[in-house]
Amino acid sequence: MSERIYARISGTGHCLPERVMTNLDLEKLVDTSDQWIQERTGIKERRVVADDQTTCDLAEVASKRALEAAGLAPSDIDLLVVGTTTPDLVFPSTACLLQHRLGLGECGAFDVNAACSGFVYALSVADQFIRSGQAKHVLVVGAETLTRMLDWGDRQTCVLFGDGAGAAVLSADSAPGILSTHLHANGAHADLLKVDVGVSRGFKPDEPRAGISVSMRGNEVFKVAVNTLGRIVEETLEANGIDRSELDWLIPHQANLRIIKATAKKLDMSMDQVIVTVDKHGNTSAASVPLALDEAIRSGRVERGQLILLEAFGGGFTWASALLRY
Ligand code: UT7
């Protein structure tokens, strides 16, 4: 009988732009307050890209760090998957641009657009390729420059988002590894969270930045997010026949501290077992989970052998989870 193959995290990395934008900075732009933002979201500050910095620039640094941590050369990578909603260009994909920058060779490379669930979706793709024996080492990236799509006059959205990138190398191993991944989507909620322009539907030339800005019915998104994340964490535990008390860490999508706390409560986990970066990064969409993962690993909090639950929720709606042993 052939030995079972698992996808294990062999290295992680991250990149944050240098520019810090605090809640006090935002008070100068819109009618908001540090107190409101902290109470409603848990966000204190976020990072914002420089004018000449792109999603691929952030992804490149995060990827190099992940490769170094994994002790692998670019030529070892068999597949590259990038989760992003803010690609450098319509095409080529950010993955193709990144592949060239990193000198990966002619491996498969593509983007996944699942909004804030992009990294967990990409991780799931990587897991399938490794389990099936088609790839040995896969580079998975979540990278975003969300601030490029913000209307800095809209207080309902501009206080929420930030820029960054996180990366993980997954490698084939006989020991687990990713135990399961779960992907879901429901396009019926498309109108609650969206950027309402595009290549095919057209842009709005009379509006700033051709009308490219995030719009969200925050309160409604909040309720669906809490409910949906509650369901997917149950589904993940059940699929693996494990009890919530066996989890060592929850690494959630970082959109809102109140949503994170609701999921932790559902899992009966203390906030000491939850990785929180939303205070420093804001919502970085597809970059939020890998940023938090890398911080958890580099700070020494997450240790080899521990059981970790990743989850994410975003525009679409999309939602996804992964249970893994680090
Ligand atoms: O990552 C993808 C998924 N995204 C999410 O999961 C985000 C989910 N939603 C949320 O995190 C929250 O709904 C928000 C943080 C966006 C908003 O918090 P909320 O508690 O749902 O506030 P709200 O939208 O119900 O607004 C409450 C009040 C309103 O004023 P009135 O109508 O009560 O007078 C808003 O106009 O707060 C006002 N408000 C603000 N006040 C100060 C909205 N934005 C701001 C602001 N500063 N930035």
Side-chain angles (χ1 to χ4, degrees):
M1 212 172 75
S2 64
E3 197 181 56
R4 192 165 174 189
I5 307 171
Y6 290 97
R8 278 194 96 188
I9 294 176
S10 51
T12 59
H14 81 269
C15 176
L16 288 164
E18 267 176 38
R19 183 176 165 208
V20 176
M21 190 180 248
T22 64
N23 292 346
L24 295 180
D25 294 329
L26 286 163
E27 282 184 8
K28 293 173 200 146
L29 295 179
V30 284
D31 179 17
T32 190
S33 67
D34 176 43
Q35 190 189 354
W36 189 96
I37 301 170
Q38 286 207 45
E39 276 177 15
R40 301 290 179 124
T41 70
I43 300 168
K44 293 180 183 157
E45 59 184 44
R46 71 287 292 142
R47 299 297 182 99
V48 176
V49 275
D51 287 345
D52 60 352
Q53 219 170 11
T54 69
T55 295
C56 192
D57 293 334
L58 303 178
E60 181 182 356
V61 176
S63 300
K64 283 181 174 162
R65 288 181 177 156
L67 282 167
E68 193 187 347
L72 292 172
S75 56
D76 292 323
I77 297 298
D78 304 312
L79 181 71
L80 168 62
V81 192
V82 177
T84 188
T85 21
T86 47
D88 286 31
L89 304 168
V90 172
F91 73 88
S93 66
T94 303
C96 285
L97 305 178
L98 180 63
Q99 181 211 45
H100 179 62
R101 294 248 201 119
L102 296 171
L104 296 189
E106 294 182 344
C107 66
F110 58 93
D111 289 359
V112 169
N113 179 348
C116 300
S117 309
F119 178 79
V120 185
Y121 263 63
L123 197 75
S124 176
V125 173
D127 183 42
Q128 314 306 320
F129 270 85
I130 288 178
R131 275 175 192 258
S132 68
Q134 286 196 63
K136 206 168 163 206
H137 301 291
V138 183
L139 176 59
V140 185
V141 183
E144 301 277 19
T145 47
L146 257 291
T147 64
R148 290 266 196 265
M149 303 199 294
L150 294 179
D151 173 352
W152 293 104
D154 176 13
R155 69 175 185 174
Q156 302 201 11
T157 51
C158 77
V159 304
L160 303 174
F161 298 97
D163 302 326
V169 179
L170 294 186
S171 299
D173 205 308
S174 54
I178 292 180
L179 297 167
S180 72
T181 58
H182 305 263
L183 308 184
H184 292 284
N186 185 346
H189 300 295
D191 275 345
L192 296 185
L193 175 53
K194 63 185 175 183
V195 175
D196 210 10
V197 295
V199 177
S200 185
R201 287 234 191 134
F203 293 84
K204 297 171 183 167
D206 298 340
E207 292 181 23
R209 295 185 191 198
I212 303 176
S213 60
V214 177
S215 70
M216 174 162 70
R217 303 223 296 264
N219 207 278
E220 289 165 72
V221 177
F222 186 98
K223 285 176 201 150
V224 184
V226 169
N227 190 316
T228 307
L229 289 170
R231 282 193 284 128
I232 202 170
V233 297
E234 289 285 354
E235 176 190 334
T236 312
L237 296 180
E238 243 179 73
N240 290 279
I242 69 155
D243 187 77
R244 52 194 173 175
S245 61
E246 293 172 60
L247 291 174
D248 292 302
W249 292 100
L250 171 66
I251 305 188
H253 172 48
Q254 311 282 324
N256 186 315
L257 188 58
R258 289 184 292 142
I259 299 177
I260 295 173
K261 283 184 173 167
T263 310
K265 195 171 168 206
K266 173 100 192 165
L267 289 166
D268 220 2
M269 289 176 89
S270 131
M271 284 305 286
D272 293 340
Q273 293 174 277
V274 182
I275 304 296
V276 175
T277 54
V278 71
D279 53 334
K280 290 178 296 180
H281 302 164
N283 182 349
T284 56
S285 185
S288 98
V289 171
L291 274 169
L293 176 68
D294 187 54
E295 170 154 326
I297 290 170
R298 284 182 192 259
S299 65
R301 281 190 286 168
V302 164
E303 292 172 17
R304 283 282 174 202
Q306 289 186 321
L307 195 58
I308 304 170
L309 180 59
L310 310 181
E311 47 86 337
F313 176 89
F317 288 138
T318 59
W319 60 104
S321 68
L323 185 74
L324 61 96
R325 221 165 256 292
Y326 174 57

